[in-house]
Amino acid sequence: MGIKGKKRKLKEREKRLQEQMEAGELPEEVMRNTSGVMVMGDGPFQPSVDVFGNVKMKKSELYKLNDQEYLESIKEEHQNRRQSHLQTSLKRLREEEEEHLKEIQEVEEKVLGRKFTSEDAWDTILNSPDPTTTDKTSRKKSSKVGKHGALFSHPLMGIHPSLIHALHLEGFERMTKIQERTIPYALQAYDLLGQARTGSGKTLAFCIPILQQTRETCLRYPNALLALLLAPTKELCVQTFDVLTAIVKHIPEPTFKVQLITGGTKVLEERRQLLAGTNIVVGTPGRIHDHVLHCKGWDLSRLRFLVLDEADRMLADGFQRDLDAILGPLPKSRQTFLFSATNSKSVQELARLSLSRTPIFIGTTGDAPLPLQQVDGQSDGALPAVIPPYQVYTDPQQERGEEVAEEHNDTDAPDDEAEALPSTLTQFCHICPYEDRLLSLYVFVKRVARTSKAMVFCSTIASTIFHCQIMASVGFHHNVMMLHGHMKHRQRVQAFRIFQEWENGVLFCTDVAARGLDIPQVHWILQLDPPLDPTEYIHRVGRTARAGNVGNSLLFLAPEEAVFARYLNKFNIKLEKLPMPDKLPPIREKLEHVLQIDEVVAKSAIAAYRAHVGAYQSHILKDIFDAQKIDLEGLAAGFALSAAPQLSLPKNNADEKKKEYVKGKLKSLNKRKQSAIKYYQEQKTKRQWDEGGSFIGVHKPRPS
């Protein structure tokens, strides 16, 4: 800007100041004079005035006055802009929240079924009476007594009176459908592949034939190994062992010796008990395999029965090597039973394990039994020419036309044996974002822990530990416990038995508790993390609504995972919406404060966060559970973390993979370059001449 421009601006400012003085708009502290003479300030010094009475001001004072006016206008404008910006941000947040809730509602309407519209449904569900029970004593017996089947004491069954008496003392009087169809053919020496829904009484279906047919052999050979029962988990082995010991203690003779082999005790002590003579051994494949290899003198030549409980799980968990090593020394004349609630593998693959003679498939649907060739369309093993038809063993009173008590002949009861899930099970689903999952879990535990019994399934051990610790830290220390595979044997067995005796409380567990366990009075099953497939879903929810009792299940899903509910619907698993409070309790800061004051829980939260992402990456349903679409910040909030820990996700994009490849190549080249430079420096400083002046490495010619 030139000198003329500066003078022009100065004249404009002077003119504007003159107009302000004439209008009386200048501040009083700047100009105040009652006699009409302009005075600057209150001090003794007064500015000079011209003949017209106008104030003569310095240029700097005039500029400061103009600058002050400009700054005040800018400040006022900035304040108005800030308030409008805050209002716009709040409005945008409200709109985004409303859109998010709207999306969740739309997803729920598409994938979920009947909906409860009020929170009173919680009280209705929790306080709903069990139609099959009236008090605690009857609840314990209801899981044992079959109400619609034939009597164990039926004369055509041929069960020994002492065994019938022992069953009656334990509360077993009538058979379930799978027991009615399995026991007669098991007593006729058929190899069986049995399939029935969870809680249908499969344990007695193979225990009764074993005790019946080994009775005479046990009298003649009291120390011979007659039966080997294998199960995939320690808890299931303990449960089978408890059922057997409870029955045999009422049998006067022979004295059956039952041994549990699952680890937790010294190996030498287990081998000593095996060599001392045991009639029935219950154990896990890994531990039994160890004794088969290293326990010299353990005679398996007289083994008559081999039982594989939850056979499909054994295939899935990679027990094939252990099973092959166990089956090797067993006699070919043995009788084999394979039982499971779901056969995720083909029947032929299951039968490959050990079914060799007269194998029969028995289910609870259609006419039993069926040869395996009619199930798979292939032939495997020596099939009988004609399989005896299934015979319904009715009561002698019914054969004579006499009436039977209503409690034993309830013909109006629904026959839900054909379904994979019982009709007394109500299945719910709650769709919530990751950041609200922990708060929703708190609401669930608060409403259930002190009034009923519940099991919470997590996908990883770290998640199980964290959620149990955090719930114990916020007031449920005496109402929660955990069960997972990294616990010691005694801890697992003790936790399992203590939870069986609890009347109310919550068990946080992994899938080690998903198969075959019969825990009484479990009213709720919560799947905090989605299962791998519908088979695992069925086994998880099978811990409730057993033997005709009422039960409820709840599945938590994120909005991105809501398609999984529609996927389950294809397998006849229909979910309903469970009403949760509109406003979750404001305890997020309290949960974060727990992590700040408790270092153990904080480490568990970080480990659970990383393990959850790892489980997400290994999920078999990649289209539904995509690790690249996880909201990591929201997931961290779901584990009470204020910030997401560092995590490296695999690169799925082709360009990103190419960049990673090029980066790795450059890193390799730089490494080779550094190695070459290092070698050059070493050779450069190496001595080349010896003390005699000869070049090192050159040998003097030998004299001829």
Side-chain angles (χ1 to χ4, degrees):
M1 182 182 294
I3 299 176
K4 293 183 179 180
K6 292 182 180 180
K7 290 183 178 181
R8 185 174 63 254
K9 279 197 171 186
L10 180 60
K11 289 182 180 180
E12 291 178 356
R13 288 184 181 179
E14 291 178 352
K15 184 178 179 181
R16 190 165 51 251
L17 180 61
Q18 185 69 25
E19 293 176 354
Q20 290 178 355
M21 289 191 308
E22 292 178 357
E25 296 178 355
L26 290 177
E28 295 181 358
E29 60 271 14
V30 179
M31 297 174 57
R32 183 170 58 237
N33 188 356
T34 55
S35 61
V37 180
M38 301 293 181
V39 181
M40 297 291 293
D42 294 332
F45 300 99
Q46 296 181 356
S48 59
V49 294
D50 55 10
V51 292
F52 301 102
N54 298 327
V55 178
K56 292 183 178 179
M57 299 181 64
K58 293 182 179 180
K59 302 287 185 179
S60 60
E61 293 177 354
L62 181 62
Y63 294 158
K64 288 180 180 179
L65 188 63
N66 292 334
D67 292 343
Q68 183 179 3
E69 179 184 1
Y70 176 75
L71 291 175
E72 288 180 354
S73 63
I74 291 297
K75 184 177 180 180
E76 182 178 0
E77 182 181 355
H78 178 71
Q79 189 70 19
N80 296 335
R81 188 189 309 160
R82 183 180 178 185
Q83 292 179 356
S84 62
H85 178 69
L86 290 176
Q87 293 177 357
T88 306
S89 300
L90 292 175
K91 185 178 180 181
R92 188 184 301 112
L93 289 175
R94 293 193 195 98
E95 292 177 354
E96 291 178 356
E97 185 177 358
E98 291 177 357
E99 290 179 359
H100 186 62
L101 293 176
K102 187 177 180 180
E103 290 178 359
I104 294 178
Q105 292 176 358
E106 291 178 355
V107 172
E108 289 176 346
E109 291 177 358
K110 291 179 180 179
V111 301
L112 300 183
R114 178 172 58 92
K115 302 173 180 59
F116 291 91
T117 56
S118 64
E119 296 185 13
D120 297 338
W122 270 93
D123 300 330
T124 304
I125 296 169
L126 293 176
N127 300 325
S128 59
D130 194 329
T132 62
T133 59
T134 55
D135 55 13
K136 296 179 182 179
T137 305
S138 60
R139 277 200 298 269
K140 292 181 180 180
K141 289 186 177 181
S142 64
S143 61
K144 297 182 178 181
V145 179
K147 293 192 173 184
H148 316 295
L151 294 171
F152 285 108
S153 58
H154 195 286
L156 296 179
M157 295 295 295
I159 302 177
H160 196 274
S162 62
L163 181 55
I164 294 174
H165 178 67
L167 293 172
H168 287 176
L169 292 178
E170 287 298 314
F172 301 107
E173 296 181 359
R174 290 178 173 270
M175 291 181 279
T176 61
K177 182 172 289 189
I178 187 62
Q179 294 168 4
E180 277 186 344
R181 297 189 170 194
T182 302
I183 293 177
Y185 295 101
L187 296 177
Q188 297 178 36
Y190 286 97
D191 284 359
L192 302 179
L193 174 61
Q195 179 180 357
R197 66 173 177 82
T198 179
S200 59
K202 294 186 292 295
T203 304
L204 281 184
F206 58 78
C207 287
I208 293 176
I210 290 175
L211 296 176
Q212 171 70 15
Q213 294 188 275
T214 57
R215 176 181 174 80
E216 298 297 331
T217 308
C218 190
L219 287 173
R220 288 182 294 175
Y221 305 98
N223 295 327
L225 176 62
L226 303 177
L228 179 61
L229 283 65
L230 301 178
T233 62
K234 295 181 179 181
E235 290 76 17
L236 188 53
C237 290
V238 170
Q239 178 177 291
T240 305
F241 174 77
D242 292 341
V243 172
L244 279 171
T245 53
I247 295 175
V248 300
K249 71 180 180 181
H250 301 297
I251 301 176
E253 61 177 14
T255 303
F256 291 95
K257 300 176 184 177
V258 185
Q259 181 65 33
L260 179 65
I261 304 293
T262 58
T265 58
K266 293 183 179 180
V267 178
L268 295 179
E269 178 64 21
E270 290 182 350
R271 292 176 184 173
R272 186 189 65 80
Q273 294 175 354
L274 291 176
L275 294 175
T278 302
N279 305 124
I280 302 175
V281 174
V282 183
T284 53
R287 195 69 168 185
I288 298 297
H289 178 203
D290 181 68
H291 289 300
V292 168
L293 294 179
H294 302 99
C295 186
K296 296 181 179 180
W298 188 30
D299 186 13
L300 302 174
S301 60
R302 288 192 177 94
L303 187 76
R304 293 190 58 186
F305 292 94
L306 173 66
V307 178
L308 301 181
D309 198 5
E310 301 294 344
D312 60 332
R313 176 67 179 271
M314 291 189 181
L315 288 177
D317 283 356
F319 289 118
Q320 293 92 332
R321 182 178 300 177
D322 294 333
L323 290 174
D324 292 338
I326 294 172
L327 296 177
L330 300 184
K332 301 298 181 182
S333 59
R334 70 184 182 274
Q335 188 176 354
T336 308
F337 302 146
L338 278 70
F339 283 89
S340 179
T342 56
N343 285 335
S344 59
K345 303 290 184 180
S346 67
V347 177
Q348 293 296 331
E349 189 173 357
L350 289 171
R352 179 195 63 81
L353 292 174
S354 59
L355 295 181
S356 58
R357 57 180 190 128
T358 63
I360 297 176
F361 175 82
I362 293 183
T364 55
T365 60
D367 296 331
L370 288 176
L372 289 185
Q373 62 180 0
Q374 295 184 14
V375 179
D376 275 355
Q378 300 178 1
S379 178
D380 186 17
L383 296 176
V386 178
I387 294 181
Y390 172 65
Q391 180 179 357
V392 179
Y393 293 92
T394 57
D395 295 338
Q397 296 179 358
Q398 293 179 348
E399 294 176 357
R400 295 193 301 266
E402 298 179 6
E403 294 183 357
V404 187
E406 182 180 358
E407 61 178 358
H408 296 293
N409 191 23
D410 187 6
T411 57
D412 296 333
D415 184 13
D416 56 357
E417 291 284 350
E419 299 292 337
L421 296 172
S423 59
T424 55
L425 174 67
T426 308
Q427 304 172 81
F428 298 99
C429 180
H430 176 58
I431 298 177
C432 62
Y434 286 117
E435 57 267 19
D436 295 337
R437 181 169 294 190
L438 189 58
L439 302 181
S440 300
L441 174 64
Y442 174 82
V443 172
F444 175 84
V445 174
K446 184 177 181 181
R447 297 197 177 191
V448 173
R450 297 185 176 93
T451 57
S452 58
K453 207 169 179 180
M455 297 176 66
V456 179
F457 284 95
C458 303
S459 60
T460 62
I461 295 175
S463 179
T464 303
I465 296 173
F466 164 72
H467 287 103
C468 184
Q469 290 177 346
I470 195 71
M471 288 297 110
S473 301
V474 293
F476 302 102
H477 181 72
H478 299 288
N479 303 102
V480 296
M481 63 190 310
M482 59 183 172
L483 178 65
H484 55 80
H486 283 182
M487 298 171 64
K488 295 182 179 179
H489 172 75
R490 294 182 180 179
Q491 293 176 336
R492 287 178 61 174
V493 174
Q494 184 179 9
F496 171 61
R497 288 179 171 167
I498 289 176
F499 188 69
Q500 280 185 319
E501 298 175 357
W502 272 12
E503 296 182 1
N504 52 64
V506 178
L507 176 67
F508 290 87
C509 56
T510 57
D511 284 334
V512 298
R515 293 248 179 177
L517 300 186
D518 187 10
I519 302 175
Q521 305 177 40
V522 175
H523 202 131
W524 277 95
I525 297 295
L526 170 61
Q527 302 188 56
L528 189 62
D529 298 324
L532 292 177
D533 53 19
T535 298
E536 292 302 321
Y537 177 90
I538 292 173
H539 282 286
R540 284 181 175 184
V541 301
R543 301 313 100 213
T544 186
R546 299 174 66 86
N549 295 331
V550 170
N552 305 280
S553 67
L554 176 59
L555 174 64
F556 276 4
L557 292 176
E560 300 83 4
E561 306 167 349
V563 186
F564 185 67
R566 187 180 300 172
Y567 176 75
L568 293 176
N569 197 9
K570 296 180 181 179
F571 297 88
N572 202 23
I573 300 175
K574 299 180 180 179
L575 304 177
E576 304 172 3
K577 178 185 176 182
L578 181 69
M580 296 291 286
D582 295 334
K583 293 184 179 180
L584 296 173
I587 62 167
R588 193 181 302 275
E589 294 182 357
K590 181 180 179 180
L591 297 174
E592 294 178 356
H593 182 64
V594 172
L595 271 62
Q596 295 174 1
I597 63 177
D598 196 334
E599 184 179 357
V600 175
V601 183
K603 290 182 178 179
S604 299
I606 297 174
Y609 169 83
R610 291 174 174 166
H612 182 88
V613 177
Y616 220 85
Q617 294 176 0
S618 61
H619 205 287
I620 59 177
L621 300 176
K622 300 294 184 182
D623 296 336
I624 300 177
F625 302 95
D626 188 359
Q628 300 295 330
K629 297 180 181 178
I630 299 179
D631 180 11
L632 296 179
E633 295 294 335
L635 182 63
F639 287 98
L641 296 170
S642 56
Q646 292 183 356
L647 193 67
S648 59
L649 292 176
K651 307 298 183 182
N652 288 340
N653 192 0
D655 295 336
E656 293 179 350
K657 289 183 178 180
K658 186 176 180 180
K659 290 180 181 178
E660 290 292 329
Y661 176 78
V662 173
K663 184 178 179 181
K665 282 292 184 181
L666 292 175
K667 185 177 180 181
S668 177
L669 290 174
N670 290 332
K671 186 176 180 180
R672 292 169 60 185
K673 179 181 177 182
Q674 295 296 331
S675 178
I677 293 175
K678 182 179 179 181
Y679 175 78
Y680 172 75
Q681 293 295 338
E682 290 176 354
Q683 296 298 322
K684 183 178 179 180
T685 58
K686 186 178 178 180
R687 289 186 60 188
Q688 305 293 328
W689 306 91
D690 60 5
E691 295 178 355
S694 300
F695 182 73
I696 295 177
V698 178
H699 300 283
K700 293 181 179 181
R702 295 180 181 180
S704 57

